[in-house]
Amino acid sequence: MSDTSRASTKKALPEHFKAYKHVWVAVELEHGVVHPVSFELLGEGRKLADKRGVDLAGVVMGGDEASVLAAAQECFEYGADLVYTVTDKVLADYRNETATKALTDLVNSYKPEILLLGATNLGRDLAGSVATTLRTGLTADSTGLEIDDEGSLAATRPTFGGSLLCTIMTLNFRPQMATVRPRVMAMPARQPGRVGRIVEHPLGLAEDEVVTKVLKFIADRASNKAQLAYADIVVAGGLGLRSAENFQLVKSLAEVLGAEYGGSRPLVQKGWITAERQIGQTGKTIRPKLYIAAGISGAIQHRVGVEGADLIVAINTDPNAQIFQFAHLGIVADAIEFLPRLTEAFRSYLSVNRLAG
Amino acid sequence: MHIAVCMKQVPDSAQIRVHPVTNTIMRQGVPTIINPYDLFALEEALRLRDKFGGEVTVLTMGPPMAEDSLRKALTFGADRAVLLTDRFFAGSDTLATSFALSAALEKIAAEFGETPIVFTGKQTIDGDTAQVGPGIAKRLGLNQLTYVSRIAEVDQAGQTITVERRAEGGVQLLQTRLPVLITMLEGTNEIRRGSLADAYRAASAKLVSWNAADAGIVDLAKCGLRGSPTIVKKVFAPQARAEAARMLAVEDGAEAVMTEIFVRQPALEAELMRFASGQ
Ligand SMILES: Cc1cc2nc3c(=O)[nH]c(=O)nc-3n(C[C@H](O)[C@H](O)[C@H](O)COP(=O)(O)OP(=O)(O)OC[C@H]3O[C@@H](n4cnc5c(N)ncnc54)[C@H](O)[C@@H]3O)c2cc1C
């Protein structure tokens, strides 16, 4: 046996970790708004906490009382039993240094057994720093979270570009950390008026002790940014469309449906669409009510980004295309010919029924 | 200025095949490449060197064959390549990887000069975690700048750096003190072709090769599988959906497709009607 096989694959939690209890979600509050992924995580965290018979807590860090309290209330309504708040001007803009200090202090003080973060730029920036500071395990971009028979967190994630899935566990360190991408988990139902307990914690850091300064925040122009991840309907095209001109057919259908449009990765590489419209493993994960894929083969890297859709409709000339293995509705057809017909069908139906209504 | 770039050699995962019975990766014959995200880091490092003078050292941890990627980096114009290789590193998760790379980076600074800027790619295409960069920053006490889309200014005298960082809903203009760890966003630059002279130099260059002891690592329990708090419990292939797709024929027409969509998603029909009426 080699030396490396000595890693402890059995659960033998050291004594000092036994006090770690409860499930936490680090809430992303920026510019007064909570990122929806935080609510998705509260929904998932609720299930884990119930299974473990422990509390679900949100962690809200922010620069002003009003937005912190508003975010805490939202956490309660999405299922949190309690919310730890850290309110300090220093936390007004996200910075790695300040957020890492706030979150690690909280973990060391109140000892959660599970800590979940969104796999956003913010969450990934923060999670790595916190896990390294605490010297604990972190499973990035999880797509499934379960509690195993021994009460440990089993986090499943795609690996090798989505070719395989693996289940990863942190048996003997606490907290067990995981990040999850937006839209991978379903949005839980909001329970208006639901209340909980707030625990305030000080940051203990003055602005002149913080090395990194935010000189400016340049907000994206809302009109410029694709709201792909949260769209109800998404129409997407792939290489089967054969040219940038034909991609217009996807846009036309999207327009009639009030949908967002996107595409497979090769389209970004060809410059037919911009990177923020890429769907899949290295692009956006989407969870629309309706996903229409035209001329997309359904490679695993694409599949992992769309599997959460309620209804997947695929148009492809190849009856054996992989996409038909996970689509709900399939049409073996030339998309260049079929898309305009579908667009027209919706257009005329909607105009007739609008007039009737 | 001496700049370090951490890179990883990865399988070209578009071509990965999974053994249908054992669910193991069939690596034989799978070509390897430099993790594409790392090339944005390398190009940015080369540009800073061209502007300020100095050297770029590339570092990779991996099996001996990772030498190929290092040589490739030399053809692009990197000045020095360090291979960190030891069987004790096998099975490293992100925490153990950041431990080993941090030790090597400290050794690089001691041997070849301080590195006020350390680059990594945004993430790898095989592990996909984006966690090794932040891990290195924390371990070495570097100011962390992730998802950087532009380096606006490096003030060597003042020891500060100003960058644009992609955040949720916008871009942060951040200023911090050197030394820093930067992860570059994809699409921010394009790797150069490299000169003929670089290609010649790369072909015959002697790489620096360190094992754990060479890199000054004493505590082997922090390396590889033993130093990894996470364990892989199970590896499996994605399942096909239980229920097969309902196939419609083209002859059924586009109306049939629309009708079937509304049958399966009744709420959608009402929403679309509202949308069409401009409400
Ligand atoms: C690390 C890694 C990450 C990746 N990440 C992503 C990702 O995030 N998102 C992503 O999408 N891909 C990703 N990929 C790429 C992925 O593996 C596939 O190569 C890609 O999704 C294929 O795109 P496509 O379906 O448009 O093209 P193709 O695979 O070429 O498929 C084109 C399809 O169109 C069909 N077709 C041809 N003509 C017509 C026609 N006239 N009408 C209708 N159908 C037609 C063909 O039958 C075929 O099925 C990644 C790959 C790697 C290695």
Side-chain angles (χ1 to χ4, degrees):
Chain A
M1 291 293 259
S2 77
D3 285 305
T4 49
S5 67
R6 265 189 269 141
S8 66
T9 52
K10 286 227 164 52
K11 187 163 178 174
L13 193 65
E15 206 52 43
H16 65 280
F17 283 137
K18 292 201 171 137
Y20 282 66
K21 256 200 181 122
H22 308 306
V23 177
W24 284 16
V25 172
V27 173
E28 286 186 26
L29 170 64
E30 273 197 297
H31 308 106
V33 185
V34 176
H35 194 296
V37 72
S38 304
F39 302 138
E40 294 160 13
L41 287 175
L42 284 169
E44 205 58 23
R46 185 70 264 170
K47 295 181 210 160
L48 301 176
D50 289 346
K51 188 122 191 243
R52 292 285 297 140
V54 298
D55 285 342
L56 172 67
V59 175
V60 178
M61 306 174 273
D64 66 283
E65 184 105 31
S67 58
V68 168
L69 288 181
Q73 181 53 36
E74 288 188 283
C75 289
F76 296 139
E77 295 185 358
Y78 282 107
D81 300 306
L82 72 160
V83 172
Y84 295 96
T85 61
V86 187
T87 312
D88 195 307
K89 281 198 303 295
V90 171
L91 293 167
D93 278 292
Y94 172 78
R95 283 177 290 181
N96 176 270
E97 213 177 335
T98 52
T100 301
K101 163 131 176 52
L103 190 52
T104 41
D105 280 0
L106 278 173
V107 167
N108 287 327
S109 306
Y110 300 102
K111 307 185 188 317
E113 61 182 307
I114 293 173
L115 172 57
L116 308 177
L117 298 95
T120 57
N121 283 10
L122 187 161
R124 287 169 145 208
D125 185 86
L126 179 58
S129 303
V130 171
T132 309
T133 309
L134 299 169
R135 302 287 193 263
T136 191
L138 164 63
T139 307
D141 288 25
S142 312
T143 52
L145 300 173
E146 300 282 337
I147 301 291
D148 82 346
D149 296 342
E150 288 180 317
S152 304
L153 178 69
T156 296
R157 71 184 303 267
T159 186
F160 286 101
S163 314
L164 284 177
L165 294 167
C166 60
T167 301
I168 296 182
M169 316 202 49
T170 298
L171 292 177
N172 299 321
F173 297 84
R174 291 292 178 269
Q176 306 158 85
M177 290 180 62
T179 63
V180 180
R181 292 173 57 175
R183 295 304 258 164
V184 167
M185 302 299 177
M187 179 66 80
R190 187 170 182 162
Q191 301 161 261
R194 192 175 176 280
V195 290
R197 192 158 56 88
I198 288 183
V199 179
E200 292 174 26
H201 197 81
L203 174 64
L205 198 62
E207 182 56 49
D208 54 15
E209 297 172 79
V210 185
V211 178
T212 303
K213 306 293 177 196
V214 181
L215 303 183
K216 205 159 53 171
F217 181 78
I218 309 140
D220 295 327
R221 281 200 294 135
S223 57
N224 267 349
K225 225 189 143 202
Q227 297 300 319
L228 203 53
Y230 286 89
D232 275 343
I233 305 178
V234 175
V235 185
L239 278 181
L241 292 174
R242 291 206 290 263
S243 73
E245 291 71 53
N246 288 336
F247 191 81
Q248 189 57 43
L249 304 175
V250 166
K251 287 195 198 170
S252 301
L253 178 56
E255 199 179 317
V256 168
L257 298 177
E260 281 291 343
Y261 68 89
S264 62
R265 186 167 83 160
L267 271 51
V268 177
Q269 286 158 340
K270 284 183 174 292
W272 298 1
I273 56 171
T274 52
E276 87 251 8
R277 293 197 182 268
Q278 181 188 321
I279 299 168
Q281 169 86 6
T282 46
K284 293 280 186 314
T285 301
I286 59 171
R287 222 187 160 82
K289 293 177 182 152
L290 171 62
Y291 177 55
I292 300 176
I296 294 180
S297 60
I300 186 68
Q301 294 89 358
H302 187 81
R303 173 178 173 173
V304 295
V306 304
E307 265 178 326
D310 291 337
L311 181 60
I312 300 174
V313 179
I315 306 165
N316 198 304
T317 41
D318 175 6
N320 298 316
Q322 279 181 64
I323 194 151
F324 293 131
Q325 285 173 20
F326 58 92
H328 303 90
L329 270 185
I331 305 109
V332 178
D334 180 347
I336 299 159
E337 191 265 333
F338 195 78
L339 275 176
R341 286 171 59 192
L342 193 57
T343 306
E344 199 38 50
F346 276 111
R347 195 197 307 278
S348 59
Y349 179 81
L350 290 174
S351 65
V352 167
N353 285 274
R354 183 195 57 200
L355 292 176
Chain B
M1 186 162 28
H2 183 202
I3 302 166
V5 181
C6 300
M7 308 189 321
K8 188 181 182 190
Q9 186 173 54
V10 295
D12 195 350
S13 42
Q15 305 190 37
I16 281 189
R17 293 284 168 272
V18 178
H19 192 282
V21 177
T22 59
N23 271 340
T24 49
I25 303 264
M26 301 193 286
R27 284 174 190 272
Q28 292 95 322
V30 176
T32 56
I33 51 173
I34 296 179
N35 173 43
Y37 292 110
D38 299 344
L39 294 177
F40 301 109
L42 178 57
E43 175 60 26
E44 207 61 31
L46 294 170
R47 288 182 187 186
L48 289 176
R49 178 203 62 188
D50 294 348
K51 189 163 169 195
F52 295 104
E55 289 183 319
V56 170
T57 298
V58 290
L59 165 67
T60 196
M61 178 177 98
M65 72 166 196
E67 187 186 320
D68 297 348
S69 289
L70 290 174
R71 273 196 206 283
K72 184 89 192 163
L74 292 176
T75 68
F76 291 131
D79 300 280
R80 180 185 300 106
V82 178
L83 174 66
L84 183 63
T85 187
D86 201 312
R87 67 191 173 88
F88 289 111
F89 298 139
S92 295
D93 72 357
T94 54
L95 197 75
T97 301
S98 71
F99 172 76
L101 287 174
S102 297
L105 284 165
E106 281 183 316
K107 176 81 186 229
I108 285 172
E111 293 266 307
F112 310 116
E114 293 293 332
T115 53
I117 303 181
V118 176
F119 279 101
T120 70
K122 179 182 97 159
Q123 64 194 64
T124 58
I125 62 164
D126 58 349
D128 239 340
T129 71
Q131 299 305 337
V132 171
I136 293 170
K138 180 50 72 189
R139 287 179 183 278
L140 296 179
L142 309 174
N143 293 310
Q144 175 173 321
L145 300 168
T146 54
Y147 307 106
V148 169
S149 52
R150 193 170 77 90
I151 297 180
E153 195 190 9
V154 182
D155 177 356
Q156 281 187 289
Q159 288 288 293
T160 63
I161 182 165
T162 310
V163 304
E164 287 178 6
R165 168 177 188 272
R166 169 62 24 211
E168 304 301 321
V171 171
Q172 288 181 318
L173 186 66
L174 292 177
Q175 185 165 69
T176 194
R177 261 205 302 275
L178 300 173
V180 290
L181 178 124
I182 297 178
T183 82
M184 282 310 287
L185 202 64
E186 69 276 18
T188 43
N189 58 39
E190 202 172 324
I191 189 72
R192 60 194 60 192
R193 301 277 294 270
S195 67
L196 210 54
D198 285 327
Y200 279 125
R201 191 175 47 87
S204 59
K206 202 167 151 2
L207 305 187
V208 181
S209 180
W210 289 339
N211 62 20
D214 296 333
I217 295 174
V218 184
D219 194 353
L220 291 174
K222 289 190 176 146
C223 298
L225 223 42
R226 287 168 72 198
S228 299
T230 61
I231 62 149
V232 178
K233 197 79 183 182
K234 194 168 76 175
V235 179
F236 55 103
Q239 299 289 305
R241 244 170 36 85
E243 181 202 348
R246 160 114 202 263
M247 301 302 286
L248 293 175
V250 195
E251 300 77 61
D252 296 341
E255 286 73 20
V257 174
M258 180 180 69
T259 306
E260 187 65 26
I261 288 173
F262 287 151
V263 166
R264 289 175 184 239
Q265 290 284 302
L268 211 56
E269 185 173 5
E271 278 168 39
L272 275 175
M273 233 97 87
R274 268 200 304 280
F275 166 74
S277 320
Q279 283 166 25

